[in-house]
Amino acid sequence: MTEMYAEQTKQQFEGWEEFYNQSVDDKLEMFNRKGRIFDVIYAQQFNRPFLDQLGRLADFIRQLAKTKMGSQKLRTLLAHKRAMLYFVQPSTRTFLSFQNACYILGLNVSEIRGTSTSSEVKGESPEDTIRTFASYVDLIISRHPEAGFAEKTAWVLNQSDHPAPVLNGGSGPDQHPTQALLDIYTLEREFHNIGGLDGKRIAMVGDLKRGRTVRSLSYLMKNYRDVELIFVSPEEFRMRNDILDFLRRQEIPFKETDDFESIMPAVDAIYMTRIQNEYASDPKSEAETFPDFHFKAEHLQRIHAHCAILHPLPRRYEIDIAVDSDPRAAYWRQERCGMWIRAALIAYIFGVDDEIVSEFD
Ligand code: CP
């Protein structure tokens, strides 16, 4: 571990607290430019036309990428752009899928994977660090342990004379909006032959209190007709009230239970999550694995023939590895969907989406 030469400098930005404390709906316009999404901070930024457009774009990109000629075409689209991956909270999938999404579109990529390897060790503030990235690159993708970090980054850069779009790759236990994009894209593909996500009943299982993926995915449900959610968790990890209140306001039916087995035959998708003990004050004190909330091989006979089993991964013991070979186990496909939908998002952010679509006209 590199020695910290000084505590990180704390900077007060006039107007930030006032902005941060506004309702999300009031803030969203700040993250748009010329009628398009510029920064991706919240799942609430995505509406149905956008989700449908992005899914279609991801399908086109993966189709083009199958051939040498198509791949070459894709790589020319953003060969003049550079991206920064600032991932100071551990990540495998989000980091690699964004990195490879950049490669697919020809972007050059720089990375910082821990504050111990940046000048933050010398006491530089996170805000100055981010402004430095914007001096060199055209896109910043961040993963950070603090809730609100990506939003502050976008806000600070939007006040500067050299803003770069910011994509939130996970900010504390708060939100993971691009994971929600890939989850929706996966669900729509899994249900392709049975009418898509509209009208489906989805169980979310595990640590719903601290799982940012289930929070972001819940927000996106407002875009789909007749969806119903079932939250399955131990008492101490129940979904937080802000999400439940949101669902009530949107008139999205939901119920909560701790009886996982009883709801299995009733759902179209099961979204498993692990216990997020990295947010406990003492992670080692949370060694309990909650086996009643694990999906085991014998459960395969309890679920629908079309039921999709998802997990944002990484998993621990939530899904028995014997489940992996069942065609309903969608989590490895889901992981790959992340790369294609993130490539689609980057193409959209830089406005080269039409060029991709035109290949199929
Ligand atoms: N799903 C997800 O965010 O995985 P990583 O933490 O590996 O990026």
Side-chain angles (χ1 to χ4, degrees):
M1 179 80 182
T2 311
E3 189 188 341
M4 293 289 288
Y5 303 133
E7 284 284 308
Q8 259 193 304
T9 304
K10 290 186 177 45
Q11 297 169 327
Q12 299 297 329
F13 287 86
E14 207 183 320
W16 161 245
E17 291 294 333
E18 197 185 331
F19 177 78
Y20 189 54
N21 291 325
Q22 290 177 56
S23 75
V24 170
D25 286 346
D26 288 343
K27 294 192 270 193
L28 294 186
E29 196 46 42
M30 171 73 169
F31 305 119
N32 290 346
R33 294 263 162 117
K34 297 180 185 156
R36 286 169 75 94
I37 294 174
F38 182 76
D39 303 296
V40 173
I41 308 299
Y42 288 107
Q44 293 94 313
Q45 288 176 268
F46 310 137
N47 59 25
R48 181 68 181 264
F50 177 81
L51 293 165
D52 289 348
Q53 177 192 352
L54 216 63
R56 191 161 159 258
L57 192 58
D59 283 344
F60 286 155
I61 292 173
R62 68 199 298 170
Q63 212 168 314
L64 277 174
K66 279 187 184 141
T67 66
K68 193 169 176 182
M69 220 164 77
S71 293
Q72 281 167 348
K73 164 76 192 173
L74 287 168
R75 276 201 300 278
T76 62
L77 291 174
L78 294 173
H80 57 303
K81 297 289 182 189
R82 296 178 298 280
M84 177 75 210
L85 292 167
Y86 178 64
F87 274 58
V88 296
Q89 188 189 37
S91 166
T92 300
R93 277 146 284 274
T94 312
F95 179 85
L96 284 175
S97 59
F98 264 124
Q99 186 184 42
N100 283 285
C102 288
Y103 294 154
I104 287 166
L105 297 168
L107 285 103
N108 287 300
V109 178
S110 307
E111 64 176 69
I112 286 183
R113 298 219 61 180
T115 51
S116 66
T117 61
S118 82
S119 282
E120 289 171 90
V121 166
K122 303 172 204 162
E124 186 168 48
S125 71
E127 294 83 4
D128 279 4
T129 302
I130 291 289
R131 280 201 67 164
T132 302
F133 301 156
S135 299
Y136 303 129
V137 302
D138 307 289
L139 174 69
I140 295 168
I141 305 163
S142 79
R143 155 75 61 104
H144 203 278
E146 267 174 45
F149 181 82
E151 181 173 358
K152 190 169 188 189
T153 300
W155 184 87
V156 168
L157 291 181
N158 285 334
Q159 317 294 312
S160 78
D161 57 5
H162 200 234
V166 174
L167 308 185
N168 179 4
S171 50
D174 187 14
Q175 280 228 16
H176 196 349
T178 66
Q179 175 74 42
L181 284 179
L182 80 91
D183 293 339
I184 289 288
Y185 180 51
T186 307
L187 286 165
E188 287 278 46
R189 284 175 66 88
E190 294 297 317
F191 298 144
H192 181 68
N193 293 326
I194 52 168
L197 181 49
D198 290 318
K200 300 297 184 293
R201 188 180 288 143
I202 296 161
M204 299 188 187
V205 186
D207 183 349
L208 307 180
K209 183 178 174 187
R210 300 175 298 190
R212 56 192 173 196
T213 64
V214 283
R215 292 175 55 75
S216 293
L217 186 56
S218 297
Y219 280 123
L220 286 196
M221 291 303 159
K222 78 171 195 307
N223 296 298
Y224 296 87
R225 283 189 307 279
D226 303 324
V227 167
E228 187 183 334
L229 297 179
I230 303 180
F231 295 124
V232 187
S233 71
E235 178 62 28
E236 59 267 53
F237 297 131
R238 282 170 65 174
M239 183 58 93
R240 282 189 263 157
N241 277 331
D242 60 338
I243 297 290
L244 304 184
D245 288 342
F246 171 83
L247 296 172
R248 286 185 193 105
R249 282 197 305 276
Q250 298 292 329
E251 299 183 359
I252 298 170
F254 69 87
K255 66 180 178 195
E256 298 181 271
T257 179
D258 59 4
D259 186 353
F260 187 20
E261 287 205 356
S262 74
I263 60 91
M264 286 178 186
V267 296
D268 302 291
I270 297 176
Y271 190 102
M272 300 294 296
T273 67
R274 73 181 163 83
I275 301 298
Q276 310 271 315
N277 63 327
E278 63 267 43
Y279 296 112
S281 50
D282 176 12
K284 288 206 176 77
S285 70
E286 285 194 14
E288 163 73 274
T289 66
F290 297 92
D292 288 348
F293 301 88
H294 293 178
F295 191 92
K296 305 177 184 83
E298 67 257 32
H299 292 147
L300 286 167
Q301 58 200 2
R302 292 184 67 81
I303 63 173
H304 277 301
H306 68 256
C307 182
I309 306 164
L310 279 77
H311 192 311
L313 303 178
R315 74 174 152 187
R316 289 179 188 155
Y317 301 103
E318 305 82 53
I319 304 180
D320 189 341
I321 55 167
V323 175
D324 291 7
S325 55
D326 190 279
R328 292 166 290 182
Y331 30 95
W332 301 116
R333 294 191 289 276
Q334 180 185 3
E335 192 172 74
R336 277 184 69 73
C337 280
M339 179 175 71
W340 300 117
I341 203 77
R342 285 174 172 132
L345 179 65
I346 294 168
Y348 165 89
I349 293 286
F350 286 111
V352 295
D353 40 334
D354 283 348
E355 227 176 304
I356 294 168
V357 174
S358 70
E359 291 289 312
F360 294 85
D361 285 344

